[in-house]
Amino acid sequence: MKTIQEKCAEFNRMFLDELPDWQSRFQFLVDMGQSAPIFDKLEFSPEDRITGCLSTTFFKVKIIHGKLSVSGWSNSAIMLGVIEMFRQLFDEVSQEDVTRGDYTISFIDELIKNMTPSRADAVGQIVQKIR
Amino acid sequence: MNQDIIVTLFKYYSKFVSKEVLRKMFKQVSRKSVGYDEVVADILSQNEDAVIPDIDAYIYSANERFVSEKIPNSDGTILFVEYGAFSYDPTSANGISEKLAVHIACPYTMTNNDNMNEALIMNRMYAILCSILDAMQADQSNLNFCGTTKLVNFPVEIVSIDPSTLYDRIGFMAMFDYSTTDL
Protein backbone atom coordinates (compact mmCIF):
# COMPACT_ATOMS: atom_id res chain seq x y z
CA MET A 1 0.00 0.00 0.00
CA LYS A 2 1.31 3.44 -0.92
CA THR A 3 2.20 5.92 1.79
CA ILE A 4 0.50 9.29 1.98
CA GLN A 5 3.74 10.90 0.79
CA GLU A 6 3.83 8.67 -2.29
CA LYS A 7 0.16 9.27 -3.08
CA CYS A 8 0.54 13.05 -2.76
CA ALA A 9 3.68 13.07 -4.89
CA GLU A 10 1.87 11.05 -7.54
CA PHE A 11 -1.09 13.45 -7.53
CA ASN A 12 1.18 16.48 -7.66
CA ARG A 13 2.99 15.07 -10.68
CA MET A 14 -0.11 13.89 -12.49
CA PHE A 15 -2.18 17.01 -11.85
CA LEU A 16 0.46 19.66 -12.40
CA ASP A 17 2.91 18.04 -14.82
CA GLU A 18 0.96 15.56 -16.89
CA LEU A 19 -2.22 17.59 -17.40
CA PRO A 20 -1.19 20.41 -19.73
CA ASP A 21 -3.46 23.29 -18.67
CA TRP A 22 -6.22 24.35 -16.31
CA GLN A 23 -8.94 23.47 -18.77
CA SER A 24 -7.83 19.83 -18.72
CA ARG A 25 -7.25 19.91 -14.95
CA PHE A 26 -10.80 21.07 -14.27
CA GLN A 27 -12.13 18.55 -16.76
CA PHE A 28 -10.15 15.91 -14.88
CA LEU A 29 -11.90 16.96 -11.66
CA VAL A 30 -15.30 16.79 -13.36
CA ASP A 31 -14.52 13.29 -14.67
CA MET A 32 -13.23 12.23 -11.29
CA GLY A 33 -16.40 13.45 -9.63
CA GLN A 34 -18.54 11.58 -12.10
CA SER A 35 -16.81 8.29 -11.40
CA ALA A 36 -16.72 8.74 -7.62
CA PRO A 37 -18.71 6.49 -5.27
CA ILE A 38 -22.08 8.00 -4.51
CA PHE A 39 -22.70 8.93 -0.90
CA ASP A 40 -26.16 9.65 0.37
CA LYS A 41 -26.65 13.32 1.08
CA LEU A 42 -28.73 12.36 4.11
CA GLU A 43 -25.62 10.91 5.76
CA PHE A 44 -24.35 14.40 6.36
CA SER A 45 -25.23 16.87 9.06
CA PRO A 46 -25.11 20.69 8.99
CA GLU A 47 -21.64 20.56 10.64
CA ASP A 48 -20.34 18.78 7.54
CA ARG A 49 -21.54 21.57 5.27
CA ILE A 50 -18.94 23.55 3.41
CA THR A 51 -20.26 27.06 3.66
CA GLY A 52 -20.76 29.35 0.70
CA CYS A 53 -23.68 29.53 -1.64
CA LEU A 54 -22.25 28.52 -5.01
CA SER A 55 -23.16 24.89 -4.51
CA THR A 56 -24.24 22.57 -1.76
CA THR A 57 -21.24 20.62 -0.54
CA PHE A 58 -20.69 18.37 2.45
CA PHE A 59 -17.38 16.93 3.56
CA LYS A 60 -16.90 14.64 6.52
CA VAL A 61 -13.81 13.17 8.13
CA LYS A 62 -14.31 10.53 10.79
CA ILE A 63 -11.64 8.67 12.71
CA ILE A 64 -12.30 4.94 12.86
CA HIS A 65 -9.75 2.81 14.72
CA GLY A 66 -7.13 5.52 14.25
CA LYS A 67 -7.72 5.86 10.52
CA LEU A 68 -9.45 8.58 8.52
CA SER A 69 -12.75 7.81 6.87
CA VAL A 70 -13.42 10.46 4.23
CA SER A 71 -16.74 11.06 2.52
CA GLY A 72 -18.64 13.90 0.92
CA TRP A 73 -21.42 15.03 -1.34
CA SER A 74 -21.89 17.94 -3.67
CA ASN A 75 -24.25 19.05 -6.40
CA SER A 76 -21.29 20.54 -8.24
CA ALA A 77 -19.28 18.27 -10.51
CA ILE A 78 -16.05 20.08 -9.71
CA MET A 79 -16.54 19.90 -5.96
CA LEU A 80 -17.41 16.20 -6.27
CA GLY A 81 -14.07 15.79 -8.03
CA VAL A 82 -12.26 17.65 -5.26
CA ILE A 83 -13.96 15.47 -2.64
CA GLU A 84 -12.98 12.33 -4.55
CA MET A 85 -9.40 13.52 -4.82
CA PHE A 86 -9.20 13.97 -1.04
CA ARG A 87 -10.93 10.65 -0.50
CA GLN A 88 -8.40 8.83 -2.68
CA LEU A 89 -5.53 10.53 -0.88
CA PHE A 90 -6.63 10.39 2.74
CA ASP A 91 -9.24 7.66 3.20
CA GLU A 92 -7.88 4.82 5.33
CA VAL A 93 -4.73 6.81 6.13
CA SER A 94 -3.73 6.77 9.79
CA GLN A 95 -4.46 9.89 11.77
CA GLU A 96 -0.85 9.84 12.94
CA ASP A 97 0.44 10.06 9.36
CA VAL A 98 -1.87 12.94 8.58
CA THR A 99 -1.07 14.98 11.67
CA ARG A 100 2.65 14.46 11.12
CA GLY A 101 2.07 16.51 7.98
CA ASP A 102 5.24 15.50 6.13
CA TYR A 103 3.53 15.42 2.75
CA THR A 104 3.11 18.11 0.14
CA ILE A 105 -0.15 18.85 -1.63
CA SER A 106 1.12 21.59 -3.89
CA PHE A 107 -1.53 20.76 -6.48
CA ILE A 108 -4.14 21.94 -3.98
CA ASP A 109 -2.35 25.26 -3.48
CA GLU A 110 -2.23 25.71 -7.24
CA LEU A 111 -5.86 24.66 -7.61
CA ILE A 112 -6.93 27.26 -5.03
CA LYS A 113 -5.01 29.96 -6.89
CA ASN A 114 -6.92 29.16 -10.06
CA MET A 115 -10.43 29.13 -8.64
CA THR A 116 -13.09 31.75 -8.10
CA PRO A 117 -12.99 33.13 -4.52
CA SER A 118 -15.96 31.14 -3.14
CA ARG A 119 -14.70 27.87 -4.59
CA ALA A 120 -11.16 28.54 -3.36
CA ASP A 121 -12.61 29.16 0.08
CA ALA A 122 -14.56 25.90 -0.09
CA VAL A 123 -11.44 23.89 -0.98
CA GLY A 124 -9.60 25.67 1.86
CA GLN A 125 -12.31 24.52 4.27
CA ILE A 126 -11.85 20.92 3.08
CA VAL A 127 -8.10 21.15 3.67
CA GLN A 128 -8.76 22.43 7.19
CA LYS A 129 -11.08 19.51 7.91
CA ILE A 130 -8.42 17.04 6.83
CA ARG A 131 -5.75 18.68 8.93
CA MET B 1 -20.38 35.70 2.12
CA ASN B 2 -20.95 35.27 -1.58
CA GLN B 3 -17.93 36.84 -3.21
CA ASP B 4 -18.97 35.59 -6.60
CA ILE B 5 -22.38 37.11 -7.13
CA ILE B 6 -21.77 38.04 -10.79
CA VAL B 7 -20.39 34.60 -11.65
CA THR B 8 -23.12 32.86 -9.64
CA LEU B 9 -25.77 34.54 -11.75
CA PHE B 10 -23.89 33.91 -14.99
CA LYS B 11 -23.84 30.22 -14.11
CA TYR B 12 -27.44 30.19 -12.95
CA TYR B 13 -28.89 31.52 -16.19
CA SER B 14 -26.61 29.33 -18.29
CA LYS B 15 -28.61 26.32 -17.12
CA PHE B 16 -31.43 27.36 -19.45
CA VAL B 17 -29.09 27.22 -22.46
CA SER B 18 -28.01 24.10 -24.34
CA LYS B 19 -24.40 22.93 -24.17
CA GLU B 20 -24.11 23.37 -27.91
CA VAL B 21 -24.91 27.08 -27.61
CA LEU B 22 -22.71 27.52 -24.55
CA ARG B 23 -19.69 25.88 -26.16
CA LYS B 24 -19.85 28.40 -28.98
CA MET B 25 -19.80 31.22 -26.42
CA PHE B 26 -16.47 30.28 -24.91
CA LYS B 27 -13.77 31.50 -27.21
CA GLN B 28 -10.07 30.97 -26.82
CA VAL B 29 -9.52 34.20 -24.96
CA SER B 30 -5.93 35.37 -24.86
CA ARG B 31 -5.90 36.36 -21.21
CA LYS B 32 -8.11 34.18 -19.07
CA SER B 33 -9.11 35.62 -15.73
CA VAL B 34 -8.61 33.52 -12.61
CA GLY B 35 -11.43 31.01 -12.39
CA TYR B 36 -12.22 31.01 -16.13
CA ASP B 37 -11.54 27.33 -16.70
CA GLU B 38 -13.28 26.38 -13.47
CA VAL B 39 -16.47 28.22 -14.40
CA VAL B 40 -16.48 26.85 -17.96
CA ALA B 41 -15.98 23.28 -16.70
CA ASP B 42 -18.69 23.82 -14.12
CA ILE B 43 -21.17 25.17 -16.65
CA LEU B 44 -20.49 22.48 -19.22
CA SER B 45 -20.91 19.74 -16.61
CA GLN B 46 -24.33 20.92 -15.45
CA ASN B 47 -27.19 18.59 -16.18
CA GLU B 48 -29.52 19.74 -18.92
CA ASP B 49 -32.83 19.30 -17.13
CA ALA B 50 -33.62 23.01 -17.26
CA VAL B 51 -32.51 23.66 -20.85
CA ILE B 52 -35.00 25.54 -23.01
CA PRO B 53 -34.26 24.29 -26.53
CA ASP B 54 -35.69 27.46 -28.11
CA ILE B 55 -32.80 29.57 -26.81
CA ASP B 56 -30.19 30.03 -29.53
CA ALA B 57 -27.91 32.55 -27.82
CA TYR B 58 -27.03 33.62 -24.30
CA ILE B 59 -25.73 37.07 -23.48
CA TYR B 60 -24.94 38.09 -19.92
CA SER B 61 -23.55 41.54 -19.79
CA ALA B 62 -23.48 45.01 -18.34
CA ASN B 63 -21.37 46.21 -21.22
CA GLU B 64 -23.28 48.15 -23.86
CA ARG B 65 -20.51 47.88 -26.42
CA PHE B 66 -20.37 44.10 -26.05
CA VAL B 67 -24.15 43.86 -26.26
CA SER B 68 -24.31 46.08 -29.32
CA GLU B 69 -21.96 43.72 -31.10
CA LYS B 70 -23.44 40.45 -29.89
CA ILE B 71 -27.17 40.95 -30.27
CA PRO B 72 -27.20 42.06 -33.93
CA ASN B 73 -24.97 39.08 -34.74
CA SER B 74 -27.15 36.52 -32.97
CA ASP B 75 -29.69 34.45 -34.83
CA GLY B 76 -32.84 33.07 -33.33
CA THR B 77 -34.06 33.53 -29.80
CA ILE B 78 -31.72 35.20 -27.34
CA LEU B 79 -31.64 35.08 -23.59
CA PHE B 80 -30.08 38.38 -22.61
CA VAL B 81 -29.46 38.96 -18.92
CA GLU B 82 -28.54 42.52 -18.17
CA TYR B 83 -27.12 43.35 -14.77
CA GLY B 84 -25.85 46.56 -13.37
CA ALA B 85 -27.02 48.61 -10.44
CA PHE B 86 -26.42 47.25 -6.95
CA SER B 87 -27.62 48.20 -3.56
CA TYR B 88 -25.05 47.20 -0.95
CA ASP B 89 -25.69 46.90 2.78
CA PRO B 90 -23.45 44.34 4.50
CA THR B 91 -25.17 44.92 7.85
CA SER B 92 -28.55 43.43 7.07
CA ALA B 93 -29.92 40.15 5.76
CA ASN B 94 -30.59 40.34 2.04
CA GLY B 95 -28.80 43.67 2.15
CA ILE B 96 -27.16 43.17 -1.23
CA SER B 97 -29.53 43.56 -4.06
CA GLU B 98 -28.89 43.62 -7.74
CA LYS B 99 -31.24 44.82 -10.42
CA LEU B 100 -31.59 42.34 -13.25
CA ALA B 101 -33.38 42.55 -16.56
CA VAL B 102 -33.96 39.22 -18.26
CA HIS B 103 -34.85 39.56 -21.93
CA ILE B 104 -36.20 36.93 -24.26
CA ALA B 105 -36.21 38.25 -27.78
CA CYS B 106 -35.89 37.28 -31.41
CA PRO B 107 -35.31 39.14 -34.70
CA TYR B 108 -38.25 40.90 -36.26
CA THR B 109 -38.52 42.99 -39.37
CA MET B 110 -41.55 44.62 -40.89
CA THR B 111 -40.75 43.04 -44.24
CA ASN B 112 -42.99 40.09 -44.98
CA ASN B 113 -44.53 40.19 -41.52
CA ASP B 114 -48.02 40.89 -40.33
CA ASN B 115 -49.72 41.57 -37.06
CA MET B 116 -50.81 37.96 -36.60
CA ASN B 117 -47.27 36.73 -36.98
CA GLU B 118 -46.04 39.32 -34.51
CA ALA B 119 -48.63 38.19 -31.96
CA LEU B 120 -47.56 34.57 -32.34
CA ILE B 121 -43.89 35.46 -31.90
CA MET B 122 -44.66 37.60 -28.85
CA ASN B 123 -46.73 34.77 -27.43
CA ARG B 124 -43.78 32.41 -27.78
CA MET B 125 -41.32 34.89 -26.22
CA TYR B 126 -43.67 35.45 -23.30
CA ALA B 127 -44.04 31.70 -22.73
CA ILE B 128 -40.25 31.22 -22.66
CA LEU B 129 -39.74 34.12 -20.26
CA CYS B 130 -42.44 32.84 -17.93
CA SER B 131 -40.95 29.35 -17.95
CA ILE B 132 -37.66 30.87 -16.75
CA LEU B 133 -39.43 32.82 -14.00
CA ASP B 134 -41.34 29.69 -12.96
CA ALA B 135 -38.08 27.74 -12.78
CA MET B 136 -36.56 30.49 -10.64
CA GLN B 137 -39.49 30.35 -8.28
CA ALA B 138 -39.10 26.55 -8.01
CA ASP B 139 -35.33 26.86 -7.49
CA GLN B 140 -35.84 29.33 -4.70
CA SER B 141 -36.69 26.50 -2.34
CA ASN B 142 -33.82 24.36 -3.61
CA LEU B 143 -30.87 23.83 -1.29
CA ASN B 144 -28.48 25.34 -3.84
CA PHE B 145 -29.38 28.72 -2.51
CA CYS B 146 -28.89 29.89 1.00
CA GLY B 147 -31.95 30.90 2.95
CA THR B 148 -30.71 34.45 2.75
CA THR B 149 -30.62 34.57 -1.04
CA LYS B 150 -33.62 35.44 -3.13
CA LEU B 151 -33.22 34.61 -6.78
CA VAL B 152 -36.19 36.75 -7.63
CA ASN B 153 -38.48 38.98 -5.68
CA PHE B 154 -42.00 38.66 -7.02
CA PRO B 155 -43.94 40.34 -8.51
CA VAL B 156 -41.67 41.06 -11.43
CA GLU B 157 -42.41 43.73 -13.95
CA ILE B 158 -42.64 42.40 -17.51
CA VAL B 159 -42.52 44.84 -20.38
CA SER B 160 -42.54 44.29 -24.11
CA ILE B 161 -39.40 45.01 -26.10
CA ASP B 162 -39.72 47.48 -28.88
CA PRO B 163 -37.57 46.59 -31.93
CA SER B 164 -36.16 50.10 -32.05
CA THR B 165 -34.61 49.67 -28.60
CA LEU B 166 -33.06 46.21 -29.01
CA TYR B 167 -31.47 45.89 -32.42
CA ASP B 168 -34.67 44.90 -34.28
CA ARG B 169 -35.65 42.27 -31.75
CA ILE B 170 -39.06 41.79 -30.23
CA GLY B 171 -40.01 39.96 -27.09
CA PHE B 172 -40.33 40.59 -23.39
CA MET B 173 -38.12 41.78 -20.57
CA ALA B 174 -38.62 40.91 -16.89
CA MET B 175 -37.16 43.33 -14.36
CA PHE B 176 -36.61 42.32 -10.76
CA ASP B 177 -34.16 42.33 -7.87
CA TYR B 178 -31.86 39.48 -6.91
CA SER B 179 -30.90 39.77 -3.29
CA THR B 180 -28.40 38.10 -1.06
CA THR B 181 -26.59 38.69 2.17
CA ASP B 182 -23.06 39.61 3.13
CA LEU B 183 -23.40 38.88 6.85
Side-chain angles (χ1 to χ4, degrees), chain B residues 6-130:
Chain B
I6 306 296
V7 173
T8 301
L9 289 168
F10 181 94
K11 282 204 267 194
Y12 180 75
Y13 289 102
S14 72
K15 76 178 199 159
F16 299 111
V17 185
S18 72
K19 298 265 169 73
E20 189 190 345
V21 171
L22 291 169
R23 277 195 192 93
K24 284 184 208 156
M25 275 177 70
F26 305 126
K27 292 182 177 172
Q28 291 298 317
V29 292
S30 52
R31 277 192 191 172
K32 288 179 180 173
S33 297
V34 171
Y36 184 99
D37 289 315
E38 173 214 323
V39 176
V40 171
D42 217 7
I43 285 174
L44 295 179
S45 64
Q46 293 180 123
N47 71 44
E48 294 193 277
D49 296 350
V51 164
I52 299 171
D54 292 18
I55 296 174
D56 302 303
Y58 174 42
I59 297 165
Y60 176 88
S61 184
N63 176 346
E64 180 55 36
R65 187 170 287 182
F66 178 82
V67 170
S68 68
E69 188 190 311
K70 285 287 166 192
I71 293 183
N73 290 313
S74 300
D75 291 326
T77 303
I78 54 167
L79 164 61
F80 167 36
V81 180
E82 188 177 13
Y83 63 93
F86 269 92
S87 160
Y88 188 81
D89 176 2
T91 65
S92 66
N94 284 71
I96 299 169
S97 135
E98 179 172 14
K99 296 208 176 298
L100 294 175
V102 175
H103 307 64
I104 290 288
C106 72
Y108 183 85
T109 58
M110 293 300 287
T111 318
N112 298 327
N113 253 323
D114 63 15
N115 202 223
M116 183 68 231
N117 205 31
E118 179 197 310
L120 287 166
I121 293 170
M122 289 296 272
N123 199 59
R124 195 164 61 87
M125 298 298 105
Y126 177 77
I128 295 170
L129 183 60
C130 289

Side-chain angles (χ1 to χ4, degrees), chain A residues 15-30:
Chain A
F15 198 72
L16 295 175
D17 299 338
E18 292 173 16
L19 296 170
D21 51 30
W22 282 100
Q23 192 178 348
S24 43
R25 288 172 196 135
F26 281 111
Q27 189 54 50
F28 172 82
L29 286 177
V30 168

